[in-house]
């Protein structure tokens, strides 16, 4: 497999895993949730998550990335852009469960620790990815 294809596959796998983690929370373990977020991020997003408020202790979110694709890859710069659809099952403290679908776009940067998310945005339905 050519190096570009390997890089694309690695970025896609890292993006899928990171987006699943970044959209999940465990109400019983907010510190572990934040640690998980920090493990898959770098740069300004990492700094923002580290300085921001703790995850909401009243909500548990279990996320599954249902679709994802690499939309841009620069192997020389070590950057990639991934777009994904994520299914999020939210459980409120009272036990009510709702399901939401989100479209997300992530910028990833490859560093010594592998591919990390450096920017994350919601993509409105009907907007180009």
């Amino acid at each position: 497999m050519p190096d570009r294809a390997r890089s694309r596959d690695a970025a896609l796998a890292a993006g899928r895993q990171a987006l699943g983690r970044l959209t999940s929370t465990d109400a019983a373990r907010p510190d572990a949730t934040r640690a998980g977020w920090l493990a898959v991020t770098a740069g300004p997003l990492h700094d923002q998550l580290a300085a921001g408020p703790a995850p909401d202790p009243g909500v548990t979110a279990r996320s599954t990335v249902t679709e994802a694709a690499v939309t841009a890859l620069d192997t020389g710069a070590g950057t990639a852009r991934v777009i994904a659809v994520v299914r999020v099952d939210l459980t409120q403290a009272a036990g009510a469960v709702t399901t939401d679908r989100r479209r997300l776009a992530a910028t990833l940067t490859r560093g010594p620790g592998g591919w990390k998310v450096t920017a994350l945005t919601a993509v409105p339905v009907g907007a180009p990815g």
Side-chain angles (χ1 to χ4, degrees), residues 3-116:
D3 287 342
R4 182 166 173 81
R6 270 195 289 279
S7 290
R8 181 200 62 233
D9 291 350
L12 180 59
R16 288 181 73 95
Q17 189 263 342
L19 290 174
R21 184 171 282 177
L22 287 167
T23 54
S24 295
T25 61
D26 185 342
R29 302 178 60 218
D31 291 338
T33 295
R34 186 196 301 263
W37 294 347
L38 297 176
V40 297
T41 58
L45 179 60
H46 180 88
D47 296 343
Q48 180 184 2
L49 292 171
D56 183 347
V59 177
T60 294
R62 302 280 182 234
S63 299
T64 304
V65 176
T66 58
E67 298 178 56
V70 173
T71 60
L73 177 66
D74 184 335
T75 56
T79 59
R81 186 160 166 87
V82 172
I83 189 166
V85 176
V86 181
R87 175 189 161 156
V88 182
D89 296 317
L90 297 165
T91 305
Q92 303 296 326
V97 179
T98 58
T99 299
D100 187 23
R101 291 205 184 275
R102 300 177 184 167
R103 284 182 58 193
L104 301 170
T107 301
L108 286 80
T109 301
R110 186 181 59 230
W115 291 96
K116 305 283 182 169

